[in-house]
Amino acid sequence: MCMSSIDWQSARHRTAIGRAGLSMPVRQALNDEVFSPNETILDYGSGRGQDVARLNRLGYVAREWDPHFNTGTPPSPHDIVFMTYVLNVIEHPAERETVLLDAWRNTQRVLVVTTRLNWERRRVHGDDLADGLLSSRNTFQHLYSNAELRELVERVTAAQ
């Protein structure tokens, strides 16, 4: 498990929000038919596990893993891996790459990576910390441009 809480400078678990339905990235992937009921799904950095619970209720085979909320089962290979709003809460660029590579190594068919984007800057308040912001709630956010996120994923996974 590469997402260790030992060196965290922020309270990453506080960024795991509750939702009334599927997260937008999972809902969009479902609408786009990125995965089917016969494929296994891993929510890597699942937070509270709400997407997994909802996907399972819909008949999908989904598992969760999170370094704070679900530390018992390390990630393992799945057809589809979701990494939803994980990279943006990691303070160290080298750790972001390690975490992304671990998610990629657990992907058998499709890796879906989503982050907060720089157009959301007006909604994120805090003090500068490294290449992001540290909020008054001690949560970190690195906001990505589309190009930056694409370059990171392509470089780390060697996929295009």
Side-chain angles (χ1 to χ4, degrees):
M1 286 181 265
C2 63
M3 291 193 338
S4 166
S5 62
I6 296 170
D7 296 318
W8 293 0
Q9 294 177 347
S10 66
R12 294 179 184 177
H13 65 283
R14 289 185 180 168
T15 63
I17 62 171
R19 292 186 178 91
L22 286 170
S23 66
M24 187 278 303
V26 173
R27 190 173 56 245
Q28 189 63 50
L30 184 61
N31 289 341
D32 291 343
E33 299 178 352
V34 170
F35 56 94
S36 63
N38 63 335
E39 294 180 295
T40 60
I41 299 166
L42 172 64
D43 189 350
Y44 186 105
S46 58
R48 300 174 188 280
Q50 294 171 315
D51 278 338
V52 168
R54 289 181 179 102
L55 285 169
N56 286 332
R57 280 196 299 274
L58 292 171
Y60 294 90
V61 179
R63 302 287 178 262
E64 63 185 288
W65 181 80
D66 188 273
H68 180 81
F69 293 100
N70 182 9
T71 61
T73 306
S76 62
H78 285 70
D79 297 313
I80 311 300
V81 175
F82 283 97
M83 179 180 264
T84 307
Y85 307 116
V86 171
L87 296 176
N88 50 283
V89 304
I90 299 173
E91 303 93 334
H92 305 289
E95 185 183 0
R96 290 178 205 142
E97 292 184 13
T98 301
V99 168
L100 178 57
L101 185 58
D102 190 55
W104 176 244
R105 288 179 176 154
N106 284 293
T107 303
Q108 294 178 320
R109 196 174 75 74
V110 175
L111 173 63
V112 177
V113 179
T114 56
T115 65
R116 293 190 74 178
L117 299 173
N118 55 12
W119 63 264
E120 297 180 82
R121 176 61 179 96
R122 70 185 188 292
R123 289 195 244 164
V124 180
H125 305 283
D127 297 322
D128 290 341
L129 175 66
D131 63 354
L133 299 169
L134 187 66
S135 75
S136 60
R137 294 183 59 232
N138 195 33
T139 61
F140 177 83
Q141 291 291 328
H142 172 77
L143 305 177
Y144 284 83
S145 71
N146 288 328
E148 178 190 12
L149 181 58
R150 180 184 190 109
E151 184 279 326
L152 175 65
V153 172
E154 288 179 353
R155 180 174 41 80
V156 170
T157 65
Q160 305 219 7

